[in-house]
Amino acid sequence: MADGSRSSTKAETPAWVRGAMPSAGDLIFVLLLVTLVFTPLSMRLLGDAGIGWHIRTGQQIVATRAIPRVDSFSSTMSGKPWFAWEWLYDLAVGELDSALGLNGVVWFTSVVIAAVFAWMFRVLVGRGTNLVVALGLVLLAVSGSMIHFLARPHVVSWLFTLAWFWILDSSEVEDFDLPGGSARRWLWGLPLLMLVWVNVHGGFLVGFVLLGIYLVGAAWNWFRARQNRIEELLQQIAARKRVRNLAWVSLLSAAASLVNPYGWNLHWHVYRYLSNRFLMDHIEEFQSPNFHGIAQKCFLVLLLITLFVLTVRGRELRMSQGLTVLSAVCAGLYASRNIPVSSILLVMVVGPLVQARTTVRTRGLGGGFFHRMSAIEEGMRGHLWVIVAVVVTFLIGASGGRVGSGVAMDAHFDPQRMPVEAVDYLEKQQVQGPVLSPDFWGGYLIYRLYPKSRVVVDDRHDLYGEEFFKSYLKMVHVEPGWEEFLRLHEASCVLLPRQSALADRLAVSGGWKKIYADDVAIAFVRER
């Protein structure tokens, strides 16, 4: 009855209306894109200085026509092996910055983020989730993910994760419930996606985790299937075929992941980096979430919803979905940086499970209205508004952010978070490098000062390694022996947060002269 109602609603809607009218998913996309591009949130996207070295790396690739294999940005690691493992993303943002400035970088990031959550909404509604429930879950996922709304390559991994899960999960449903569907054909596209993903971000490992989960799920279905009835025998045959297909897809994806500038060495490098306990314990984004923050609280609400839904309807979960929920919960609680991906996966699993119960409860409370709206939403396939929003925002960015006589788009680093005025002064006074700053400012200094000056340290923690950062942190915290770092890694200029222990110590110690100070930063040079 429900399917018939949806079909009739779709049939009654003229084709030109379906093409021209915005769907709810389109509106989510446009709203997110406009908000991120035209409001102060654009500065939030540039809240991580690391985008600076990503941009300069991409521009270096264009200039040299080669992917970097050694570091050229720092004075301490110059000429040492470096894995520019996100080179394809770097190339994109480097070209956008060259053409449109930071407006282009913010525009690209905003398009990707908007696409992730608009597509998530569309998939949920397409799987039968109530329109209001889908909207609520997506809003929770957006709110939880805002902790990492940053112009960095991880946002592209969100899009790949969503696509990867959608293909694996849809193909599993088709294998056992809806023979003849199209998702099974998409399954063989995963190796091609991996070919891009492995060159964009280290999050490609999530793809292999999901492949392993669905392979285990298929094997579980195969071994537990009985042969007492013809239906069960057919399910066993389907499960065996799916195991074989997933095994081949996994092997092909593994082979595709080797198609990167560093081959298998990239995998070994990523493993050593992520298994380094010292770095994982001292890099903020790898630490467990602090649930006093708004984004973390939204993720906590999503966890509670997941727990409630599983308590009520957990028996309906397929093995692969259960393992997906388990891995998403563990990942989100292990490290803050995993919260966005965990939120995406939890919403994709939980959303369709909420539907049946909420439909029953809302039938007398406008449920029919929401059902009709869901049917209309599925029928809107033109996405004209999405295309217009993408093109218009791009053209505004290309025109310097100007609309008429006003400025609508002005992406820039927040001068309250970054040492913008201090670096302006250093450039004006032609202060020579190397420049020592906290690692979380290093990328900004690379963006502003390279190639005239190099930095002593930045946030490429995998490049600098454990021993370097042990010495660096001793200096930052002014612990006994803190002068050793300055002696070994001689810097001509030290740029520090105004209210830092090291700044206070340098101000009273001999050998350093203060040349600049504002509310954000203070700069010292060596006395001669």
Side-chain angles (χ1 to χ4, degrees):
M1 187 71 178
D3 291 339
S5 174
R6 290 195 176 197
S7 300
S8 61
T9 304
K10 181 176 178 181
E12 292 169 2
T13 307
W16 69 270
V17 173
R18 295 199 302 270
M21 282 189 64
S23 65
D26 295 341
L27 293 177
I28 290 173
F29 179 93
V30 173
L31 182 61
L32 277 173
L33 178 60
V34 170
T35 302
L36 292 173
V37 166
F38 295 128
T39 71
L41 282 177
S42 63
M43 282 195 299
R44 181 184 178 87
L45 293 180
L46 296 172
D48 189 320
I51 186 60
W53 63 260
H54 281 293
I55 291 171
R56 293 297 178 238
T57 300
Q59 293 167 347
Q60 187 180 89
I61 292 173
V62 173
T64 62
R65 297 186 179 181
I67 298 169
R69 296 180 180 275
V70 296
D71 174 59
S72 60
F73 297 133
S74 73
S75 61
T76 52
M77 296 290 153
S78 180
K80 294 186 178 180
W82 173 46
F83 288 79
W85 50 350
E86 295 146 338
W87 70 272
L88 194 56
Y89 172 86
D90 299 347
L91 184 62
V93 294
E95 286 291 87
L96 284 169
D97 181 79
S98 298
L100 281 71
L102 291 174
N103 282 343
V105 178
V106 166
W107 171 83
F108 174 73
T109 305
S110 302
V111 168
V112 174
I113 291 175
V116 168
F117 295 104
W119 187 17
M120 181 194 300
F121 178 83
R122 289 281 297 183
V123 172
L124 287 176
V125 173
R127 292 186 169 191
T129 307
N130 180 283
L131 202 69
V132 176
V133 172
L135 181 60
L137 290 174
V138 169
L139 287 176
L140 275 176
V142 170
S143 301
S145 301
M146 284 190 71
I147 190 175
H148 278 288
F149 270 23
L150 298 167
R152 294 293 297 265
H154 64 263
V155 299
V156 184
S157 266
W158 301 354
L159 188 61
F160 276 105
T161 298
L162 180 58
W164 209 268
F165 174 84
W166 175 74
I167 291 172
L168 286 171
D169 198 65
S170 298
S171 63
E172 183 174 83
V173 172
E174 287 183 1
D175 276 334
F176 297 108
D177 296 328
L178 300 170
S182 60
R184 212 178 304 123
R185 292 194 295 270
W186 281 100
L187 190 65
W188 296 99
L190 292 182
L192 295 178
L193 289 180
M194 180 57 68
L195 192 64
V196 179
W197 198 354
V198 72
N199 291 291
V200 169
H201 186 241
F204 72 90
L205 296 176
V206 176
F208 288 110
V209 171
L210 289 174
L211 270 172
I213 284 173
Y214 277 84
L215 186 56
V216 169
W220 172 262
N221 290 328
W222 179 16
F223 288 121
R224 77 184 184 92
R226 299 176 181 177
Q227 302 182 28
N228 298 333
R229 295 181 299 175
I230 185 64
E231 294 86 353
E232 293 171 342
L233 178 61
L234 292 175
Q235 285 187 352
Q236 186 185 53
I237 294 173
R240 184 172 65 245
K241 181 179 179 181
R242 179 166 176 80
V243 168
R244 184 174 65 250
N245 290 342
L246 284 174
W248 275 110
V249 169
S250 298
L251 288 173
L252 291 173
S253 296
S257 73
L258 297 174
V259 185
N260 68 79
Y262 314 100
W264 67 268
N265 290 301
L266 173 62
H267 301 69
W268 176 241
H269 177 75
V270 173
Y271 168 76
R272 287 197 304 167
Y273 175 47
L274 296 180
S275 62
N276 187 298
R277 296 311 317 158
F278 178 84
L279 293 179
M280 294 301 102
D281 290 341
H282 289 83
I283 299 174
E284 184 177 357
E285 63 180 352
F286 283 106
Q287 296 175 7
S288 299
N290 179 350
F291 287 101
H292 291 282
I294 297 298
Q296 294 89 333
K297 287 179 180 177
C298 291
F299 178 63
L300 180 60
V301 171
L302 191 54
L303 289 177
L304 294 175
I305 291 174
T306 301
L307 179 62
F308 173 77
V309 172
L310 294 185
T311 302
V312 176
R313 306 191 62 194
R315 292 184 179 180
E316 301 176 31
L317 225 60
R318 286 175 271 125
M319 171 62 77
S320 54
Q321 291 179 316
L323 291 175
T324 299
V325 169
L326 181 62
S327 63
V329 171
C330 291
L333 294 177
Y334 176 77
S336 295
R337 66 173 293 153
N338 297 331
I339 286 179
V341 167
S342 296
S343 298
I344 290 169
L345 294 175
L346 290 178
V347 167
M348 293 300 294
V349 173
V350 169
L353 290 176
V354 177
Q355 167 58 19
R357 186 164 294 272
T358 55
T359 299
V360 173
R361 291 181 178 179
T362 58
R363 260 175 197 163
L365 301 171
F369 169 76
F370 292 122
H371 181 75
R372 290 193 297 273
M373 289 299 295
S374 297
I376 294 173
E377 170 72 15
E378 287 190 68
M380 301 299 179
R381 300 186 179 276
H383 308 304
L384 177 63
W385 284 46
V386 169
I387 297 171
V388 170
V390 169
V391 172
V392 169
T393 51
F394 177 83
L395 292 176
I396 292 174
S399 64
R402 303 190 67 85
V403 177
S405 59
V407 177
M409 187 188 303
D410 181 24
H412 58 274
F413 289 98
D414 186 353
Q416 300 302 314
R417 293 173 56 92
M418 303 292 172
V420 177
E421 295 181 8
V423 175
D424 289 342
Y425 176 84
L426 296 182
E427 284 189 313
K428 184 178 180 180
Q429 299 298 318
Q430 298 183 348
V431 175
Q432 298 299 311
V435 180
L436 170 62
S437 73
D439 59 327
F440 53 80
W441 278 355
Y444 176 74
L445 296 185
I446 292 172
Y447 181 73
R448 291 290 306 276
L449 300 177
Y450 183 81
K452 295 179 182 178
S453 297
R454 295 184 181 183
V455 299
V456 173
V457 62
D458 58 85
D459 65 349
R460 293 173 295 163
H461 303 102
D462 61 309
L463 167 66
Y464 293 93
E466 178 180 344
E467 294 305 316
F468 181 94
F469 272 103
K470 283 182 177 178
S471 177
Y472 163 78
L473 290 175
K474 182 184 294 186
M475 176 200 66
V476 168
H477 298 144
V478 196
E479 297 174 351
W482 65 272
E483 304 98 331
E484 185 70 9
F485 185 90
L486 289 172
R487 187 182 65 81
L488 291 176
H489 308 291
E490 187 170 323
S492 300
C493 176
V494 178
L495 184 63
L496 300 169
R498 181 64 183 269
Q499 306 299 327
S500 65
L502 182 58
D504 294 339
R505 179 60 64 92
L506 290 182
V508 298
S509 64
W512 294 96
K513 175 185 176 182
K514 183 177 72 174
I515 61 170
Y516 177 86
D518 58 29
D519 293 337
V520 177
I522 183 169
F524 300 89
V525 294
R526 290 185 182 274
E527 290 185 337
R528 297 180 180 178

